[in-house]
């Protein structure tokens, strides 16, 4: 069975460990680190590109588990064995990565690494714009690997509107809520729709309530075919009131409220307090709040003032800023 390595956004190892084997049959996780999963897979490698939270995916040439390993040691070790490359047509270049930063190595080592690929494949050398790459990567956890890059997600913040949530973070929010099937779910700060989209695609909810104060964004939701569904209600209301949503009618609120970086929302702690007061009205007694925020101190202060309980949290980076996912209950 072939081995692969895939990288993902920091902080989500526990969620990936639970979710990944459910998404694709034939996966057996060997090890998981912060932002990286090493696994066996006996299916079509192209299916791995369907996992929304994978950034880079590598076909494993060899892994190393030893302290203070060096790039010369790795290259010398691999040069003494016959290697198989999954992508065997096109061009390649070799890259060296240490703790997620590209590194320079001695030219003789780089050349030796290139010779390994040339000797064991039909790939041609192209150091500028190759069709694939071979990485030698060393991480902090006494783990290193040589792998062929078979998939790279071409996605940056340039593709997003200012303040728009990345789709993989929205997906993590939806699975962080755990079981959503046949639940009434609400996103009251829906924005450009990243969270509702992942909920519709991946969960069989009883009802989805989408709300935003922007009429332009709400009108856009109403035009999208994926949101035209008897289970979906779309409102344009103040999230502090949400008058069309009945008391004690919602099971889970999943949302990414404003952080105050791209809009003026005044006192952020007071903003969160008013938001939580609104949530407490519409949530059932056993309801939960799944929320993303970069304003940690303000959010913790507001939950305390509103007598809410933070069950757990996940710390990550969103657009280069430290942020956390929170699981909150009444």
């Amino acid at each position: 069975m072939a081995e692969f390595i895939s990288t993902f956004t920091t902080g989500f190892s526990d969620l990936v460990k639970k979710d990944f084997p459910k998404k694709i049959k034939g996966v057996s996780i060997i090890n998981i680190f912060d932002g990286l999963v090493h696994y066996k897979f006996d299916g079509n490698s192209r299916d791995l590109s369907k996992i929304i939270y994978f950034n880079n995916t590598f076909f494993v040439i060899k892994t190393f588990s030893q302290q203070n390993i060096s790039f010369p040691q790795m290259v010398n070790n691999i040069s003494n064995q016959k290697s198989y490359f999954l992508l065997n047509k096109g061009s390649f270049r070799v890259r060296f990565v240490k703790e997620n930063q590209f590194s320079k190595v001695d030219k003789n080592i780089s050349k030796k690494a290139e010779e390994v690929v040339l000797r064991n494949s039909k790939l041609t050398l192209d150091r500028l714009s190759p069709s694939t790459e071979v990485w030698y990567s060393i991480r902090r956890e006494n783990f290193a690997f040589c792998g062929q890059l078979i998939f790279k997600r071409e996605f940056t913040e340039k593709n997003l509107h200012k303040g728009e949530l990345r789709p993989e973070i929205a997906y993590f929010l939806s699975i962080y809520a755990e079981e959503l099937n046949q639940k009434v779910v609400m996103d009251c700060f829906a924005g450009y729709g990243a969270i509702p989209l992942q909920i519709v695609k991946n969960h069989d909810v009883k009802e989805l309530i989408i709300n935003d104060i922007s009429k332009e964004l709400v009108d856009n939701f109403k035009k999208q075919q994926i949101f035209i569904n008897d289970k979906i209600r779309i409102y344009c209301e103040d999230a502090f009131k949400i008058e069309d949503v009945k008391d004690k009618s919602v099971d889970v609120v999943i949302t990414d409220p404003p952080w105050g970086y791209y809009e003026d929302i005044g006192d952020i702690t007071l903003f969160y307090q008013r938001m939580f007061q609104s949530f407490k009205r519409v949530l059932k007694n056993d309801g939960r709040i799944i929320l993303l925020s970069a304003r940690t101190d303000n959010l913790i202060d507001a939950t305390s003032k509103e007598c809410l309980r933070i069950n757990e949290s996940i710390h990550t980076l969103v657009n280069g800023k430290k942020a956390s996912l929170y699981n909150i209950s009444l």
Side-chain angles (χ1 to χ4, degrees):
M1 190 182 293
E3 293 185 18
F4 297 86
I5 283 171
S6 294
T7 63
F8 52 89
T9 303
T10 183
F12 296 110
S13 299
D14 288 342
L15 293 184
V16 171
K17 188 175 182 179
K18 291 180 183 178
D19 183 72
F20 181 34
K22 297 177 184 177
K23 298 295 289 184
I24 295 186
K25 293 181 180 179
V27 166
S28 175
I29 293 177
I30 300 170
N31 213 335
I32 190 162
F33 305 104
D34 185 24
L36 181 148
V37 58
H38 176 205
Y39 54 97
K40 293 181 179 180
F41 179 54
D42 61 1
N44 189 331
S45 61
R46 293 179 181 177
D47 290 342
L48 299 173
S49 66
K50 299 175 184 177
I51 304 300
I52 189 172
Y53 44 77
F54 283 167
N55 298 321
N56 294 333
T57 293
F58 301 88
F59 172 73
V60 171
I61 310 300
K62 190 174 179 64
T63 60
F64 303 83
S65 298
Q66 72 182 73
Q67 207 168 18
N68 300 320
I69 193 167
S70 66
F71 290 127
Q73 287 174 311
M74 293 171 68
V75 173
N76 289 332
N77 185 294
I78 291 173
S79 67
N80 292 325
Q81 70 177 39
K82 184 173 177 59
S83 299
Y84 172 76
F85 293 88
L86 188 61
L87 304 180
N88 205 16
K89 294 182 180 179
S91 57
F92 78 96
R93 67 180 169 191
V94 177
R95 309 197 81 172
F96 296 87
V97 181
K98 188 167 185 179
E99 297 179 4
N100 295 323
Q101 298 292 325
F102 288 114
S103 303
K104 290 184 178 181
V105 298
D106 183 270
K107 288 183 179 179
N108 291 327
I109 295 299
S110 180
K111 186 176 180 180
K112 192 170 187 178
E114 292 169 349
E115 288 172 351
V116 170
V117 183
L118 292 170
R119 187 171 63 247
N120 290 278
S121 76
K122 297 178 182 179
L123 293 164
T124 59
L125 180 61
D126 182 350
R127 297 190 182 103
L128 294 179
S129 55
S131 58
T132 187
E133 297 179 348
V134 176
W135 284 29
Y136 287 79
S137 178
I138 299 174
R139 292 177 55 93
R140 290 190 181 94
E141 304 96 339
N142 295 329
F143 177 78
F145 72 91
C146 174
Q148 183 180 26
L149 183 63
I150 63 170
F151 172 73
K152 181 178 182 179
R153 191 173 301 283
E154 298 290 348
F155 189 90
T156 68
E157 279 70 30
K158 294 179 181 178
N159 303 104
L160 301 175
H161 297 87
K162 187 175 290 187
E164 183 178 358
L165 190 62
R166 290 181 64 115
E168 70 271 25
I169 303 297
Y171 178 81
F172 280 132
L173 275 162
S174 76
I175 64 170
Y176 191 40
E178 296 185 345
E179 186 57 58
L180 293 182
N181 290 346
Q182 298 308 304
K183 300 289 187 180
V184 178
V185 183
M186 180 176 74
D187 181 1
C188 50
F189 297 98
Y192 293 95
I195 293 173
L197 183 62
Q198 295 305 321
I199 292 172
V200 171
K201 284 183 173 181
N202 298 286
H203 304 275
D204 181 23
V205 298
K206 181 179 181 180
E207 186 175 53
L208 174 61
I209 301 167
I210 301 173
N211 179 78
D212 198 88
I213 200 168
S214 166
K215 185 177 184 303
E216 180 182 355
L217 293 177
V218 168
D219 287 345
N220 187 48
F221 289 135
K222 293 178 179 179
K223 295 175 185 176
Q224 296 182 54
Q225 189 64 37
I226 195 168
F227 294 127
I228 301 174
N229 188 310
D230 291 341
K231 294 182 178 181
I232 297 176
R233 290 191 283 152
I234 303 174
Y235 299 127
C236 182
E237 295 190 7
D238 185 339
F240 296 154
K241 298 177 181 178
I242 327 174
E243 295 175 345
D244 283 319
V245 180
K246 295 179 181 179
D247 293 3
K248 305 298 179 183
S249 63
V250 175
D251 292 293
V252 187
V253 172
I254 307 177
T255 195
D256 173 28
W259 296 356
Y261 293 144
Y262 306 112
E263 59 282 287
D264 182 10
I265 56 176
D267 185 324
I268 187 69
T269 300
L270 180 59
F271 180 93
Y272 280 151
Q273 280 189 260
R274 295 181 65 194
M275 174 187 72
F276 285 139
Q277 290 165 9
S278 178
F279 293 172
K280 287 161 68 175
R281 180 184 69 79
V282 301
L283 279 170
K284 297 177 182 179
N285 292 333
D286 59 351
R288 291 172 296 131
I289 302 164
I290 307 298
L291 183 146
L292 176 69
S293 178
R295 309 298 291 264
T296 301
D297 293 341
N298 303 100
L299 184 130
I300 292 174
D301 189 19
T303 55
S304 176
K305 289 178 178 177
E306 292 302 318
C307 300
L308 298 172
R309 182 173 69 251
I310 298 176
N311 301 309
E312 59 180 355
S313 59
I314 293 175
H315 307 298
T316 186
L317 292 174
V318 177
N319 300 342
K321 294 182 175 65
K322 291 182 179 180
S324 297
L325 276 65
Y326 295 93
N327 184 324
I328 302 169
S329 58
L330 302 183

